[in-house]
Amino acid sequence: MTTPAKVAVFISGSGTNMAALLYASRLPTCPFEIVLVLSNNPEAGGMKLAEAEGIPTFVLPHKGIPRAEHDAAMEAEVRRAGAQWIALAGYMRILSPEFVARWEGRMVNIHPSLLPKYTGLHTHERALAAGDSHAGCTVHLVTADLDEGPILGQIPVAILPGDTADALAARVLFAEHQLYARCLAELVTRDADPAWLTAQVRALAMALPEAEESLSHGMACFGIVKGKKFAWVSADHHGDGKTALLVKISGADEQEQLIESDPDRFYRPAYFGDAWIAIRLDLGGVDWDDIAEWLRRSWQAVAPRKLAAMMEF
């Protein structure tokens, strides 16, 4: 099993979702571990639980401290603990845009509604007042826009006749405890998941003019309609254990230069010759803007002249 991803959890209260993540992390197959629990509230009940379970803790009250300074102090502890991910679990502070930007794609939150419905507070009361048939919970990536980051998972929870906000909240909490650990596990492992990596390439490739997808030699393949192929995704092809994007390049000299510059990332794809390069996608930290540029360049190399001339790059 690979080394578990290190996660820091931010809480402000009882920490029940933190506890759910902590106990899930102790299952043998869990791909993450909780290395630090932080709070802005010295009275947060979840801190006592974390301490009892042997998890390092850090508390810094926010009153009287500028938001960016408080965030920076919390972040310093996160980095000191070696955490690569942050999970917000009832953390009742709006984070500064600078902090959110630094952890883009690596910070996750759980919210007690079926987003995009009912961002913010009092979600259960609002669901009841609206006469909804279901409430629920959502796990999402954190962005600068409150409760509007990409959704990673949801669970609907039926609203019963005569429900109160408290009764509904208690049932939604059961769903939260099931959902959060599953979504976090999927998030920290997706950089090595061939299906997820292929899906990211697919979205970028199919956004190019007249692109089409097919299956070629057991690999996802992208070409121009009734034309040449400009990209493949190789996932453990011929048992090589790699997930890589294959795109066109200028020839042998460029291929050699790329491999020499970064032999871990670039390699010569078997059976494709000098005009192609393989770019590893499964090493983590993929720059998807860079991948989009490789795809654009490869598309342009095979596009008919009239079609290529219509594109403004």
Side-chain angles (χ1 to χ4, degrees):
M1 181 179 174
T2 58
T3 302
K6 298 181 184 298
V7 179
V9 183
F10 285 37
I11 69 171
S12 291
S14 60
T16 60
N17 269 307
M18 176 276 294
L21 293 177
L22 171 59
Y23 295 130
S25 75
R26 292 182 171 169
L27 295 171
T29 58
C30 187
F32 64 81
E33 63 175 327
I34 308 303
V35 297
L36 181 65
V37 177
L38 308 92
S39 183
N40 63 319
N41 176 15
E43 305 301 320
M47 301 304 282
K48 293 181 180 178
L49 173 61
E51 292 169 0
E53 292 289 355
I55 306 300
T57 60
F58 177 76
V59 178
L60 181 64
H62 63 268
K63 290 184 179 179
I65 304 177
R67 189 179 304 276
E69 289 185 21
H70 185 268
D71 289 351
M74 299 284 272
E75 182 179 19
E77 294 300 318
V78 170
R79 295 193 182 280
R80 190 172 292 115
Q84 305 131 323
W85 304 86
I86 292 175
L88 306 181
Y91 188 62
M92 305 304 291
R93 286 274 293 166
I94 295 176
L95 297 163
S96 63
E98 297 82 5
F99 180 90
V100 172
R102 288 193 295 272
W103 287 87
E104 181 179 358
R106 296 183 293 137
M107 181 159 56
V108 66
N109 183 45
I110 189 160
H111 184 74
S113 79
L114 295 174
L115 293 174
K117 280 189 171 183
Y118 314 130
T119 61
L121 301 175
H122 310 299
T123 59
H124 307 304
E125 291 88 344
R126 291 154 70 190
L128 291 170
D132 292 348
S133 64
H134 287 76
C137 56
T138 303
V139 174
H140 65 94
L141 291 173
V142 177
T143 63
D145 298 317
L146 184 65
D147 299 329
E148 293 187 8
I151 290 172
L152 302 179
Q154 294 184 314
I155 294 180
V157 174
I159 295 177
L160 305 179
D163 249 342
T164 65
D166 287 344
L168 178 57
R171 290 201 309 283
V172 170
L173 193 59
F174 286 127
E176 291 180 32
H177 294 168
Q178 300 300 311
L179 182 66
Y180 209 175
R182 178 173 62 82
C183 288
L184 182 57
E186 291 176 354
L187 176 64
V188 303
T189 57
R190 72 182 188 181
D191 280 356
D193 179 5
W196 186 83
L197 294 168
T198 301
Q200 307 317 299
V201 172
R202 177 179 296 114
L204 296 172
M206 295 301 291
L208 293 165
E210 297 193 24
E212 65 176 356
E213 181 180 0
S214 60
L215 191 67
S216 177
H217 303 288
M219 297 183 287
C221 174
F222 303 94
I224 296 173
V225 174
K226 297 181 180 180
K228 296 180 179 179
K229 310 303 183 185
F230 64 88
W232 275 262
V233 177
S234 174
D236 194 29
H237 201 53
H238 299 291
D240 64 6
K242 303 172 183 176
T243 303
L245 170 66
L246 279 54
V247 290
K248 284 192 70 66
I249 53 175
S250 60
D253 288 345
E254 184 180 11
Q255 186 185 76
E256 183 179 352
Q257 290 170 3
L258 288 168
I259 295 171
E260 184 176 339
S261 70
D262 191 346
D264 291 330
R265 183 183 184 212
F266 297 106
Y267 65 94
R268 177 188 173 95
Y271 309 112
F272 275 76
D274 297 335
W276 294 82
I277 193 71
I279 308 170
R280 291 285 297 271
L281 301 174
D282 54 354
L283 300 177
V286 174
D287 182 342
W288 290 105
D289 289 337
D290 182 56
I291 294 300
E293 176 59 21
W294 278 108
L295 287 165
R296 181 206 64 80
R297 176 185 166 185
S298 191
W299 176 94
Q300 194 171 36
V302 303
R305 185 173 299 176
K306 288 184 179 180
L307 179 60
M310 294 171 58
M311 290 295 295
E312 295 181 4
F313 293 106

